[in-house]
Every structure is written in C-alpha cells, then in structure tokens.
Amino acid sequence: MSGLTTPASGTVMNKSANIVELEPVELRGHRLGIVPQLHAVQPKIDAEQNVLYAMNASNRNFLKPKPVIARELLAKVGFSEATSGVAVGTLPLVQQRLVAIARAISTEAEVLILDEPTSGLDPVSRDELLKILSEYIEDGEHSVLFSTHITGDLERAADYITYISYGELYFTGSKDDFVDMFRIVKGGIEELSDDLKNKAAGIRTFPTGFEALMKTEDISGFPNLTVDPATIDEIVVFTSKKGDDYE
C-alpha cells in the first residue's frame, strides 16, 4: 500500500488512482505518510532535522519557513524533548515514535500508515500515542491505517478492522460489526454437545465446564447456556485455534 513494492496481483487505489501509476514523490510525499516499526527516523540527527528531512524530500511548497513548521508539528504530536541538539536515537522510544509521526504528517499526508505503532510502549505512552492518532482524524479529512497485534489498541481507537488469520482474510468491516458477530457461551461439561462443537468457532474446556466462541446467529439453539459479549481479544484467540478444543 505504501508503493514500496509492486502488488503481484490486484490493485491498491488512492482517490481513484492506482498507486503503481503514481510517481513515488506524489504518493509518499503528498498522499501517504509512512511510519514503519523500525528505521522510522534518522537516529543521528535531532528531531527538527528529522522533520525537515521529510519536508525537503517531498518537494512541496510551504507557506511558512520549514523550521517553524517542523517545530509546530513536533509540538502538535506531543513531542516533549528538545527539538534541536539531541540525537533522536538517544531519546525514549515513545518520543522517537512521535518524531516519526511528525515526519509523516509534515507533507500534509491524507493517510497515515503505521506498522505496530504502539509496540514496546508502556500503557501510558501507548494511550498517549493513540490519542494523538485519534485527534489527527477528527477533521474528517485524514485517515489512519495501522497494523497491530495489541487488540486493546483496536478497542481503544479503531473504527474499522481487517482481520487476517493464517494468511487469509477473515473479516473486514466496522469494529462494532466484528464484535457483534460473536458471543461467548458458557456451560457445564455435560452441555458440550456435538451440535455445539460443530457450530463453535473455538472451545476452551475445564474440568467442570467450558466456554466457547459462537456466531451470534447460532446461540438461539442453546437457550440454557450463559451468554456474554465477546471481546476482540477473545475472538482472535478462539478463532486462531481453528475450532479445536484447548485448555
């Protein structure tokens, strides 16, 4: 999607344009802001110079002096360290991520694409970063697409989810629709029938009972079971087992 590689099949569109037909500077300098998990910043130069590096590479015209814009963007994303004179590679990880985001939005990118943006961050830093990304899309003119294995990030910030399991597309759509698809059902071990096993997306058994993930549309056939909402984490865990029992 970033245009760094050419799709082997299918197409990736951005505003009705096939990305393979766009010049790299048009795609990554104007339309998309890319924040990879690794090597997202130049570690040996300071925060301001990092942002200026991206601005210069975009070939865009700016209405204000670029150093002024760079400092404003760093402030906007909540960067709290010195903007000059300190190599970014010496800063805490969360501050490096903020510099990377400031770089990505410095070209007025319409879409930010981030790879595992909260990986390695403590809970407070993760919450702060997700808040910044949420604020970025509040104007309705920008979008954020990020990959993550931390399902709490999805609960906190996502509007839409694309879930890939074992290399195959399992679901794509709104977060609410994804969660509403499933329920957790619980009962005694004697209630774990063959019919339930066949309909369950995943089952966890205990010495005295079980809990299973089931499609919401199937639970009406089991009126005696306890039914609870399913979290994204539970959906991912149960479906990753491909319906097999586990303890």
Side-chain angles (χ1 to χ4, degrees):
M1 294 185 67
S2 66
L4 296 174
T5 59
T6 302
S9 61
T11 56
V12 179
M13 308 296 291
N14 178 265
K15 284 195 170 180
S16 302
N18 189 332
I19 65 166
V20 299
E21 298 174 355
L22 297 173
E23 293 293 330
V25 70
E26 164 66 17
L27 180 65
R28 295 190 292 276
H30 295 239
R31 299 182 182 227
L32 304 180
I34 312 298
V35 183
Q37 185 178 1
L38 301 175
H39 312 299
V41 295
Q42 299 283 338
K44 295 182 179 181
I45 60 178
D46 61 36
E48 185 175 323
Q49 291 298 318
N50 259 278
V51 179
L52 288 173
Y53 182 91
M55 296 173 75
N56 291 332
S58 72
N59 288 333
R60 293 186 72 103
N61 294 318
F62 298 91
L63 298 179
K64 291 191 290 187
K66 285 184 281 189
V68 173
I69 297 175
R71 290 190 291 270
E72 289 177 348
L73 288 173
L74 288 165
K76 180 178 180 179
V77 301
F79 182 74
S80 60
E81 303 287 341
T83 60
S84 62
V86 179
V88 168
T90 66
L91 300 178
L93 182 58
V94 65
Q95 296 298 317
Q96 295 185 40
R97 296 275 170 84
L98 295 178
V99 173
I101 292 172
R103 280 170 52 115
I105 66 176
S106 67
T107 59
E108 302 177 3
E110 299 158 350
V111 180
L112 289 186
I113 300 178
L114 306 98
D115 181 21
E116 301 279 357
T118 62
S119 176
L121 301 183
D122 63 77
V124 173
S125 297
R126 187 166 67 243
D127 185 71
E128 290 176 351
L129 183 56
L130 291 174
K131 180 181 178 183
I132 289 166
L133 294 178
S134 296
E135 291 173 347
Y136 185 68
I137 65 173
E138 284 181 350
D139 62 2
E141 300 295 326
H142 299 88
S143 299
V144 172
L145 173 65
F146 67 89
S147 64
T148 184
H149 287 85
I150 303 174
T151 56
D153 291 355
L154 303 177
E155 300 274 10
R156 166 75 169 75
D159 294 313
Y160 298 91
I161 290 176
T162 293
Y163 174 38
I164 298 174
S165 180
Y166 293 95
E168 296 182 357
L169 180 63
Y170 190 96
F171 173 88
T172 186
S174 76
K175 178 179 66 178
D176 291 341
D177 286 347
F178 183 57
V179 174
D180 287 343
M181 280 178 62
F182 297 99
R183 294 291 185 270
I184 296 292
V185 297
K186 303 175 182 179
I189 199 70
E190 72 282 355
E191 296 175 288
L192 185 55
S193 64
D194 289 339
D195 185 28
L196 191 150
K197 289 180 180 180
N198 290 332
K199 291 181 177 178
I203 301 172
R204 180 188 287 130
T205 57
F206 311 99
T208 58
F210 74 94
E211 59 181 14
L213 181 76
M214 295 187 66
K215 289 284 186 70
T216 303
E217 62 196 43
D218 292 332
I219 63 174
S220 60
F222 306 93
N224 296 324
L225 300 179
T226 299
V227 180
D228 293 324
T231 65
I232 294 175
D233 192 63
E234 288 171 325
I235 295 171
V236 171
V237 169
F238 275 106
T239 55
S240 70
K241 299 298 180 179
K242 292 190 172 181
D244 295 333
D245 293 2
Y246 69 101
E247 298 181 355

